[in-house]
């Protein structure tokens, strides 16, 4: 089978939806068969098309189909795939040297990324950063740092949380299937409290706003004891758990509670960070300043990099040699991050994210009016979701969610699902997507809902 290849990706790709075969087409199906024979079954695919190029708001597959990208590789390619400055910096770096290990012999790029992280994260105090390979690794290290800084061991996390797939982060993640099932025993001293989830709070959104903080702090007091808690770790807008946006006041109240009790407040901004929600970080919406902040995903335009940034005295509580890893802060990934962060500033991507929200939210709210299967429309900036339920109830409808996603995929729109109950469609377009393409993607989604009733 001849494979249609696009030698060049990046922003110069034609920004259009164009289907030349069914999805997946024959070239992708052939690769899928090879994948079946060579790759472990445990890795799933949202959309089994094999990618040959991507850029701006499109993904090109092996059959030459051009799909609209509402996923950004799960909130990673916020600056677009193969963004100009990322390619430039990576190309220069890869030709210079590819690795020394920062713990063996350091290099400037690592320091510059830490300087940038210290600059762009909230808080005008002295900060330090450390770099890792993945989001899960960053979360693990934030917990290590918080334990050293406090001399305490307990960690408090939330219902619907997602923090990764390593042993500690599986313990911190809420959802059993597919993330945890059969993989225990899990790390100990992790305690789960209810999330301030307005749509699903018993008594509704107003009760959520009024009660959630008291419920959470009451449970910590009764079941863990403040003096035992090293860290409270929260996603300011939950990602995999369903794009849950806590009501105003919850995060500031939680941060104040942590401050009053000597608990390290960790914001896991791995999905919500780096301009995604219309600010550089989602906590900024309510002027919340975390002690530690974990980043990954959007930080480096698609290259694997993650960070922990926070108060200098906490970060420096760990002895020399206590943090690190062979590949963490790899020079090529650092070069990519510097290109991505420069792009975010130059192109004002927080404003681009806000504009995406301004376009998407009203259209999704209109769609919800004509389709009662949409129980909730929520999100901020370019981190937007709709939650599907049996009309008039809170009963999740994962089947309708999957049906809409399949229809979108077949029509050339890459959308992702999420949520503890698998009933949330989430939208994470690259922040550089054109308004035309964004609008066309929304039309595809509207058509998919129109087809749902038939
Ligand atoms: C909020 C959050 N934390 C942690 C992680 C884990 O990141 P990684 O997959 O890079 O390990 C994710 C990934 O989806 C995430 O969304």
């Amino acid at each position: 089978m001849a494979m249609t290849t696009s030698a060049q990706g990046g922003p110069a790709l034609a920004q259009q939806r164009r289907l030349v075969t069914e999805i997946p087409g024959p070239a992708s199906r052939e690769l899928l068969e090879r994948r079946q024979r060579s790759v472990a079954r445990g890795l799933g695919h949202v959309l089994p098309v094999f990618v040959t190029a991507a850029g701006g708001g499109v993904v090109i597959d092996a059959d030459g189909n051009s799909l609209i990208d509402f996923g950004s590789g799960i909130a990673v390619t916020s600056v677009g795939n193969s963004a100009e400055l990322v390619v430039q910096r990576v190309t220069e770096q890869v030709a210079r040297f590819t690795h020394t290990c920062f713990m063996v012999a350091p290099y400037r790029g690592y320091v510059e990324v830490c300087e940038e992280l210290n600059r762009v994260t909230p808080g005008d105090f002295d900060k330090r950063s450390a770099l890792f390979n993945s989001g899960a690794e960053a979360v693990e290290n934030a917990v290590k740092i918080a334990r050293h800084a406090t001399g305490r061991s307990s960690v408090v996390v939330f219902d619907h949380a997602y923090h990764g797939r390593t042993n500690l982060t599986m313990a911190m993640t809420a959802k059993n299937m597919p993330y945890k099932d059969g993989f225990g025993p899990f790390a100990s001293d992790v305690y789960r409290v209810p999330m301030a989830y307005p749509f699903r709070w018993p008594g509704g959104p107003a009760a959520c706003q009024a009660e959630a903080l008291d419920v959470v702090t009451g449970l910590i007091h009764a079941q863990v004891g403040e003096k035992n808690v090293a860290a409270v770790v929260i996603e300011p807008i939950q990602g995999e758990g369903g794009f849950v946006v806590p009501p105003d006041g919850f995060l500031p109240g939680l941060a104040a509670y942590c401050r009053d009790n000597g608990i390290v407040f960790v914001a896991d901004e791995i999905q919500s960070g780096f301009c995604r929600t219309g600010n550089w970080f989602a906590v900024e919406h309510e002027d919340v300043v975390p002690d530690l902040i974990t980043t990954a995903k959007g930080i480096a335009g698609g290259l694997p990099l993650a960070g922990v940034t926070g108060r200098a005295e906490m970060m420096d509580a760990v002895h020399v040699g206590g943090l690190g890893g062979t590949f963490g802060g790899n020079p090529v990934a650092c070069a990519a991050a510097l290109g991505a962060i420069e792009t975010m500033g130059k192109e004002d991507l927080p404003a681009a994210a806000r504009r995406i929200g301004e376009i998407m939210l009203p259209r999704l709210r209109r769609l919800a009016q004509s389709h009662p299967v949409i129980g909730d429309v929520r999100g901020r900036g370019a981190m937007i979701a709709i939650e599907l339920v049996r009309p008039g109830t809170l009963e999740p409808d994962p089947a309708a969610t999957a049906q809409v996603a399949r229809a979108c995929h077949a029509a050339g729109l890459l959308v992702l699902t999420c949520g503890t109950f698998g009933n949330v469609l989430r939208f994470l377009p690259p922040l550089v997507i054109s308004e035309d393409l964004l609008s066309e993607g929304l039309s595809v989604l509207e058509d998919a809902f129109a087809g749902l009733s038939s």
Side-chain angles (χ1 to χ4, degrees), residues 74 133-137 139 162-165 169 235 237-240 268-272 294 296-297 306 426:
I74 322 188
N133 299 293
S134 67
E137 212 190 332
V139 173
Y162 183 88
H163 297 292
R165 294 172 182 268
T169 57
E235 300 155 82
I237 296 180
Q238 287 185 320
E240 306 303 300
D268 180 348
E269 291 253 16
I270 284 163
Q271 191 152 165
S272 59
T294 55
K297 290 194 183 282
R426 60 172 152 172

Side-chain angles (χ1 to χ4, degrees), residues 83-446:
E84 217 174 318
L85 292 177
V86 173
V87 171
Q88 204 178 307
R89 296 245 196 181
V90 164
T91 309
E92 280 166 19
Q93 180 58 47
V94 91
R96 205 175 283 273
F97 66 96
T98 47
H99 175 79
T100 62
C101 183
F102 192 70
M103 301 179 306
V104 172
Y107 36 88
R108 177 203 291 254
Y110 191 114
V111 176
E112 287 179 348
V113 171
C114 291
E115 288 170 348
E116 288 296 284
L117 278 167
N118 299 347
R119 182 178 68 81
V120 298
T121 49
D124 53 10
F125 39 76
D126 197 18
K127 291 180 209 153
R128 300 284 185 274
S129 291
L131 304 180
F132 305 97
N133 299 293
S134 67
E137 212 190 332
V139 173
E140 291 249 357
N141 278 279
V143 171
K144 282 168 66 175
I145 293 162
R147 284 178 170 161
H148 248 263
T150 58
R152 306 170 178 180
S153 61
S154 302
V155 177
V156 173
V157 293
F158 289 81
D159 280 341
H160 310 286
Y162 183 88
H163 297 292
R165 294 172 182 268
T166 56
N167 188 266
L168 172 59
T169 57
M170 274 193 293
M172 295 169 69
T173 289
K175 187 174 175 175
N176 177 50
M177 198 62 186
Y179 307 124
K180 302 168 71 164
D181 196 59
F183 296 135
F186 300 112
S188 62
D189 230 354
V190 175
Y191 301 87
R192 191 171 308 286
V193 291
M195 178 60 183
Y197 189 162
F199 183 62
R200 295 198 168 275
W201 192 265
C208 182
Q209 178 142 33
E211 298 166 5
L213 190 61
D214 285 345
V215 169
V216 165
T217 56
L219 280 171
I220 296 174
H221 178 74
Q223 298 188 8
V224 198
E226 289 81 357
K227 70 174 175 34
N228 299 313
V229 182
V232 169
V233 184
I234 189 165
E235 300 155 82
I237 296 180
Q238 287 185 320
E240 306 303 300
F243 281 27
V244 177
V245 187
D248 283 352
F250 181 74
L251 292 173
L254 193 63
Y257 166 80
C258 288
R259 200 164 46 241
D260 292 346
N261 290 285
I263 297 169
V264 179
F265 181 74
V266 182
D268 180 348
E269 291 253 16
I270 284 163
Q271 191 152 165
S272 59
F274 280 106
C275 311
R276 177 54 55 189
T277 65
N279 284 309
W280 276 81
F281 294 95
V283 285
E284 288 174 74
H285 181 73
E286 290 189 89
D287 294 326
V288 170
V289 178
D291 298 310
L292 301 181
I293 184 161
T294 55
T295 52
K297 290 194 183 282
I299 188 175
L303 272 81
L305 190 72
V308 182
T309 300
R311 293 180 185 276
E313 67 278 14
M314 289 183 183
M315 295 293 296
D316 284 344
V318 179
H319 51 272
V320 174
L323 302 175
T326 305
F327 289 120
N330 166 272
V332 182
C334 285
L338 293 171
I341 294 169
E342 188 182 341
T343 305
M344 290 174 201
K346 267 193 177 152
E347 298 189 13
D348 195 0
L349 292 190
R354 290 195 292 275
R355 178 80 189 125
I356 288 170
E358 282 160 16
I359 293 170
M360 293 192 85
L361 282 168
R363 263 180 86 170
L364 293 173
R365 288 191 183 118
R366 271 201 304 281
L367 188 65
Q369 275 164 14
S370 51
H371 294 277
V373 69
I374 302 176
D376 196 25
V377 177
R378 57 178 179 253
R380 197 167 278 144
M383 187 171 182
I384 306 278
I386 51 182
E387 177 159 356
L388 276 63
V389 290
R390 302 214 180 281
T393 75
L394 290 179
E395 198 187 325
D397 195 341
T401 310
Q403 196 183 330
V404 171
R406 269 197 309 274
C408 289
H409 295 164
L413 173 68
L414 206 174
V415 292
L416 309 175
T417 59
C418 66
T420 300
F421 314 110
N423 66 325
V424 178
L425 282 161
R426 60 172 152 172
F427 311 112
L428 293 160
L431 305 181
V432 295
I433 194 170
S434 72
E435 289 194 12
D436 284 351
L437 214 53
L438 184 67
S439 178
E440 189 177 341
L442 286 165
S443 300
V444 172
L445 180 74
E446 287 158 359

